[in-house]
Amino acid sequence: MRFIGDFTFLACWVLPAMAGGLCGKPIQVGWEERPPYHYQGRDGRPAGYSVELLNQAAARIGCRLAYRQIPWSRTLQELKLGTVDVAMQALKTPEREAYACFVPGYSSSLVRLWARGDRAAHWPVSQLQDLGKLGMVRLGVTHGDSYGDVWDRWLKAPPGMVRIDSGETLAGGLRKLQLGRIDLLLATMDTAPNELARLPQQPAIVALSPVWPIGGAFYVFSKRSVSPELCQAFAGALRDMKRDGMVDRLYRSRFNIAYPDP
């Protein structure tokens, strides 16, 4: 999905002592549509599991949040520059660690390969190495996304018969898959079903059997614009929310299961 302009929403809490210390100005949060983690609610404001959790953490330490609706790849670039302070639902990579502070994971992700249902039998994949043995394969990915260490290394030097198609959005990649412009799509189990619900039901898209666990997602704070103390304050607030059950309650409200804390 493409966006025209920036959508900004200020979420403010009045806790002057803390706000004047660690949070002297609104924290800029980059986001894009990725239900159920973040999306535009019926009232026009950002909503979703990651948004609600971040709002709660900010309230506990007296910070104000300003949400900016921008594409994911641009959010990462602005994190490097410090013009965006926070991103949500990010995986930890060595490249990102160079410019971002990571607040411990608050959700788990599973990566799968997705195919058109009427062609799934053409792709008998049981492990990653199989992709180099099936003839020419057009594999779709979303620009700027990480798929865990194993996949990220593989994507830097795929087998010669694999052509990587990097798109701007997951929704665009799924539509390419439906139209036959790519053969397979790499996506997480938590985001693909929600995007599929927005697309035509036919041709049907299905997940292939292999599953790759890639660990938890993080809130990431720009090292250019956010102090280490503020990053740690958010980490402390999230730990407290796990202890007092807030994380589990929010997770259950969105996913109907207990928070999968390892």
Side-chain angles (χ1 to χ4, degrees):
M1 183 179 296
R2 290 191 171 273
F3 305 103
I4 300 175
D6 290 351
F7 174 84
T8 304
F9 163 66
L10 296 183
C12 303
W13 296 268
V14 183
L15 290 173
M18 286 297 294
L22 291 176
C23 303
K25 61 181 181 179
I27 297 172
Q28 304 291 318
V29 185
W31 73 284
E32 68 172 357
E33 289 276 342
R34 186 167 287 193
Y37 295 99
H38 24 90
Y39 58 90
Q40 188 169 322
R42 293 180 179 179
D43 60 359
R45 300 178 178 184
Y49 171 69
S50 299
V51 171
E52 293 168 8
L53 201 61
L54 187 62
N55 288 348
Q56 290 283 345
R60 293 189 178 210
I61 61 176
C63 291
R64 296 172 293 160
L65 304 178
Y67 286 92
R68 296 177 52 203
Q69 188 175 357
I70 51 180
W72 175 243
S73 57
R74 182 175 156 194
T75 294
L76 293 178
Q77 289 300 316
E78 293 206 27
L79 269 178
K80 292 181 183 180
L81 299 174
T83 52
V84 161
D85 302 313
V86 186
M88 301 180 286
Q89 203 62 23
L91 297 179
K92 183 180 287 189
T93 68
E95 178 187 6
R96 294 173 185 174
E97 286 185 285
Y99 61 81
C101 169
F102 284 73
V103 168
Y106 57 95
S107 63
S108 299
S109 293
L110 302 172
V111 165
R112 301 189 74 170
L113 287 166
W114 302 76
R116 274 179 44 161
D118 59 356
R119 292 192 56 80
H122 290 260
W123 311 112
V125 178
S126 60
Q127 57 185 346
L128 182 55
Q129 290 75 13
D130 291 339
L131 280 176
K133 306 172 185 178
L134 302 176
M136 184 64 68
V137 179
R138 297 166 297 173
L139 175 63
V141 300
T142 303
H143 180 67
D145 274 5
S146 170
Y147 301 96
D149 291 341
V150 172
W151 268 105
D152 287 352
R153 287 196 300 269
W154 187 90
L155 287 168
K156 289 180 179 179
M161 297 298 286
V162 178
R163 298 288 182 266
I164 305 300
D165 183 291
S166 181
E168 285 298 318
T169 66
L170 175 57
L174 288 166
R175 189 59 181 147
K176 285 182 181 179
L177 189 58
Q178 284 189 319
L179 296 173
R181 292 166 56 187
I182 57 176
D183 302 306
L184 298 171
L185 179 70
L186 195 60
T188 59
M189 194 64 203
D190 45 5
T191 56
N194 290 282
E195 292 296 340
L196 279 171
R198 301 165 180 257
L199 297 176
Q201 293 184 352
Q202 298 297 330
I205 301 298
V206 299
L208 300 186
S209 57
V211 176
W212 291 270
I214 58 173
F218 294 76
Y219 293 112
V220 290
F221 290 75
S222 171
K223 289 182 178 179
R224 276 185 173 268
S225 60
V226 175
S227 69
E229 293 78 14
L230 180 54
C231 184
Q232 291 308 309
F234 271 94
L238 192 59
R239 285 194 298 270
D240 290 343
M241 291 164 68
K242 282 187 176 181
R243 282 194 291 265
D244 65 26
M246 176 61 74
V247 170
D248 185 63
R249 288 193 294 275
L250 287 176
Y251 196 88
R252 286 175 185 270
S253 72
R254 291 290 175 178
F255 302 99
N256 296 314
I257 59 172
Y259 177 74
D261 208 358

